[in-house]
Amino acid sequence: MLKRPNHEEYSPYFEGYISQVPEGDYQAFLQSQLDEIVAIYAQMTDEQALLRYAPGKWSLKELLGHITDTERVMSYRMLRIARGDTTNLPGFDQDVFIANAAFDDIAVADLLRDFQAVRQATFTLLTTIQEAAWPRLGVSNSSAMSARALAYIVAGHAQHHLNVIQARYI
């Protein structure tokens, strides 16, 4: 079972995400998130998925695209660090990603399929990481980061946005 990362394994910036992940079976938690996201988005029309809870906030389509893009980036970092790469992995600007993705022009069903594919890739990646590699440290956005912390960030980031969806959109 994947253990919670120690505070030395990540920048304090990520504490809010890591704290969103409950104790227990990490992969079961990822699966429950997948099920919840599918349940929320599968019944939405494209028009409903354009909802923004306030002017200037992301639409539900953009939010799903953001969750997916972030999981891709964090899983890639997890892979690199787990495999022993100590290259300083660059940060990314989420607002630039959103501005250049045109998620609102993509069918919500396609965005949901993309998320499901990325989450499935995360599941398969997790099976290829050896126990000794989880606490391995690399550098991400000029901060020390472990593969284990990145796994928790993937789950915690998605949970953060699920909480936002529940509180502000639904």
Side-chain angles (χ1 to χ4, degrees):
M1 184 183 311
L2 188 59
K3 296 178 184 174
R4 182 173 298 284
N6 300 317
H7 293 285
E8 303 80 37
E9 294 179 48
Y10 57 89
S11 162
Y13 172 82
F14 292 105
E15 178 61 33
Y17 294 139
I18 291 172
S19 69
Q20 297 282 324
V21 182
E23 296 295 333
D25 187 336
Y26 171 81
Q27 289 198 30
F29 182 64
L30 283 182
Q31 183 62 53
S32 71
Q33 287 180 331
L34 174 59
D35 295 344
E36 186 175 355
I37 288 171
V38 168
I40 290 168
Y41 280 92
Q43 48 81 33
M44 263 184 222
T45 66
D46 284 322
E47 184 175 305
Q48 290 168 328
L50 292 172
L51 174 70
R52 297 168 192 275
Y53 72 84
K57 295 298 182 181
W58 293 341
S59 70
L60 282 161
K61 283 183 172 187
E62 289 171 326
L63 196 54
L64 181 56
H66 167 70
I67 293 168
T68 304
D69 279 354
T70 300
E71 185 157 334
R72 269 191 183 102
V73 170
M74 295 301 173
S75 290
Y76 174 70
R77 291 174 179 176
M78 180 183 4
L79 168 69
R80 300 261 314 252
I81 290 171
R83 301 291 194 261
D85 189 346
T86 58
T87 304
N88 183 12
L89 303 172
F92 74 103
D93 185 331
Q94 65 184 13
D95 295 318
V96 170
F97 273 42
I98 292 291
N100 290 289
F103 290 129
D104 283 344
D105 297 334
I106 300 171
V108 69
D110 292 337
L111 292 170
L112 184 56
R113 274 191 295 277
D114 189 37
F115 172 74
Q116 290 171 298
V118 170
R119 180 55 58 98
Q120 187 57 46
T122 299
F123 280 126
T124 59
L125 173 60
L126 294 172
T127 68
T128 72
I129 298 176
Q130 304 238 337
E131 190 66 32
W134 285 116
R136 186 174 288 145
L137 292 175
V139 183
S140 178
N141 205 17
S142 300
S143 294
M145 184 75 66
S146 72
R148 175 170 51 199
L150 285 157
Y152 268 69
I153 291 164
V154 163
H157 177 264
Q159 190 60 46
H160 163 76
H161 287 295
L162 275 167
N163 295 342
V164 170
I165 290 169
Q166 293 292 349
R168 307 236 172 158
Y169 290 89
I170 296 178

